[in-house]
Amino acid sequence: MQIAIIGPGAVGTTIAYELQTSLLNVTLIGRSNKQITIKPANQTVEVSSIDDVTATFDVIIIAVKTHQLNHLIPKLHRLAHEETLFISAQNGYGLLPRLPFQHTYQAVVYISGQKSGNEVVHFRDYRLHVQKDAQTLHLKKLLDHSKIELVLEEHIEEKIWYKLLVNLGINSITALGHNTAQILKIKEVEQLCRNLLYEGQQVALSEGIKFSDSLIDDIMQIYAGYPDHMGTSMYYDVINSQPLEVEAIQGFIYSKARYYNLNTPHLNTVYALLLSHHSIAK
Ligand code: NAP
């Protein structure tokens, strides 16, 4: 089984490093040949340039940022065969229709880390949730000897929407508020966050995803457990003037809200302002 992980960042390097400890034929692919140091293991992981790789792969795990996907797609054909399994290990939703392949899966990623130059620090978790079927069952068995846990879901949609809503609240307010998780101590911001979650929950409901009545309190409780100085990826991207994954997260929920003709004033405002940040990114 030939496995490729594309995107030698926080998520991709962690997956590649852990799979290489128990499997042969695991290749980490990036834009150029280089070495990444992964911490705290303090080990080196080789990255092969996508333009130099000539092999085809049975499994391709995509771990580039969502806004980097369009540039990558034309290069994927060369790396795949008809039965290749594609797993999008990315936040957000709505990406799969862009992948012109037969076997595509959206994973919900619970792997936390950060890339800085040629170094990746893994913080916690090694989990990918995907839809259960014969192919993912086979893949799960293969990964069982590594730390990467493939959790098979009967209904992946609900997991995807849950993560979307978790990202909608905290990513939006930390990014636009230029502040870390401590921003929730400002009661007006906390209310804004709750309003965003409420609107997101209504959109999910229109899509047929019914969460419990305590969803908003539950998510606020998760945020309350975040250390004060913890930023989100969208917060760091705004601070560093980097492009944002806004289309795949807020933009996806916004497009569904428009489709169902829902009243989502907080989401509309947040989405528009994040688009502005995205448009002036480096
Ligand atoms: P990241 O650290 O920025 O890594 C993305 C990597 O993709 C970079 O190394 C980048 O290369 C590479 N890349 C971009 N375009 C490429 C191309 N055309 N070909 C090959 N490689 C390419 O991102 P991340 O934090 O790992 O996030 C990946 C996804 O996981 C995102 O959707 C994110 O939201 C999600 N996620 C992340 C975390 C987390 O804790 N980090 C947690 C949950 C979910 P360069 O270095 O050359 O730019």
Side-chain angles (χ1 to χ4, degrees):
M1 184 77 108
Q2 295 278 348
I3 302 179
I5 297 101
I6 305 181
V11 169
T13 305
T14 302
I15 296 174
Y17 172 68
E18 294 301 338
L19 293 189
Q20 282 173 351
T21 60
S22 64
L23 294 171
L24 298 169
N25 306 325
V26 175
T27 309
L28 179 58
I29 298 176
R31 289 196 251 235
S32 57
N33 292 310
K34 59 181 171 183
Q35 293 185 328
I36 303 278
T37 303
I38 184 160
K39 300 208 165 175
N42 223 7
Q43 297 289 325
T44 300
V45 188
E46 295 290 333
V47 179
S48 305
S49 162
I50 193 159
D51 296 319
D52 292 351
V53 175
T54 52
T56 57
F57 296 89
D58 306 303
V59 177
I60 296 181
I61 299 175
I62 298 176
V64 303
K65 291 268 181 91
T66 54
H67 51 78
Q68 297 169 326
L69 188 61
N70 275 352
H71 279 288
L72 174 63
I73 289 172
K75 300 191 173 192
L76 291 176
H77 295 273
R78 209 169 40 80
L79 304 178
H81 53 74
E82 281 203 346
E83 296 305 319
T84 299
L85 236 64
F86 281 87
I87 299 190
S88 156
Q90 299 171 292
N91 275 337
Y93 203 19
L95 301 167
L96 295 191
R98 290 205 239 150
L99 291 176
F101 302 99
Q102 211 181 338
H103 308 289
T104 57
Y105 296 82
Q106 172 76 53
V108 183
V109 183
Y110 288 97
I111 293 171
S112 165
Q114 202 160 343
K115 170 180 83 94
S116 169
N118 285 340
E119 189 175 287
V120 161
V121 181
H122 173 255
F123 299 135
R124 59 170 184 268
D125 302 327
Y126 294 96
R127 252 169 36 244
L128 296 172
H129 296 244
V130 291
Q131 180 61 45
K132 182 179 183 180
D133 67 13
Q135 313 232 42
T136 53
L137 207 60
H138 182 57
L139 183 61
K140 180 182 168 54
K141 284 191 185 133
L142 197 73
L143 304 194
D144 261 354
H145 300 289
S146 78
K147 277 192 192 163
I148 302 298
E149 187 189 357
L150 199 64
V151 182
L152 302 185
E153 301 287 346
E154 298 290 344
H155 303 291
I156 191 67
E157 295 272 314
E158 191 175 320
K159 292 281 172 195
I160 292 172
W161 271 96
Y162 185 82
K163 183 85 191 285
L164 261 182
L165 297 186
V166 171
N167 284 334
L168 169 66
I170 196 75
N171 281 11
S172 304
I173 61 166
T174 53
L176 290 174
H178 289 208
N179 200 347
T180 54
Q182 65 191 348
I183 196 172
L184 280 167
K185 290 182 178 157
I186 302 166
K187 72 175 188 327
E188 289 80 359
V189 177
E190 198 221 328
Q191 190 53 53
L192 167 61
C193 191
R194 284 181 175 274
N195 291 339
L196 273 174
L197 291 175
Y198 175 77
E199 292 175 6
Q201 188 177 7
Q202 298 312 302
V203 182
L205 190 59
S206 299
E207 281 278 280
I209 311 291
K210 181 156 173 33
F211 290 109
S212 81
D213 292 343
S214 65
L215 175 82
I216 296 174
D217 287 335
D218 295 346
I219 293 180
M220 295 305 290
Q221 199 62 42
I222 294 174
Y223 297 157
Y226 291 166
D228 276 358
H229 294 290
M230 195 192 92
T232 61
S233 56
M234 206 168 267
Y235 161 79
Y236 288 113
D237 286 340
V238 164
I239 296 294
N240 297 321
S241 302
Q242 293 296 306
L244 310 179
E245 295 189 291
V246 55
E247 282 302 357
I249 302 174
Q250 292 85 355
F252 177 77
I253 306 171
Y254 174 86
S255 69
K256 289 290 176 186
R258 300 290 63 77
Y259 179 79
Y260 293 112
N261 220 2
L262 300 174
N263 185 31
T264 53
H266 301 90
L267 173 63
N268 301 1
T269 307
V270 155
Y271 175 52
L273 294 175
L274 288 171
L275 278 182
S276 168
H277 276 284
H278 184 64
S279 74
I280 56 172
K282 282 182 219 149

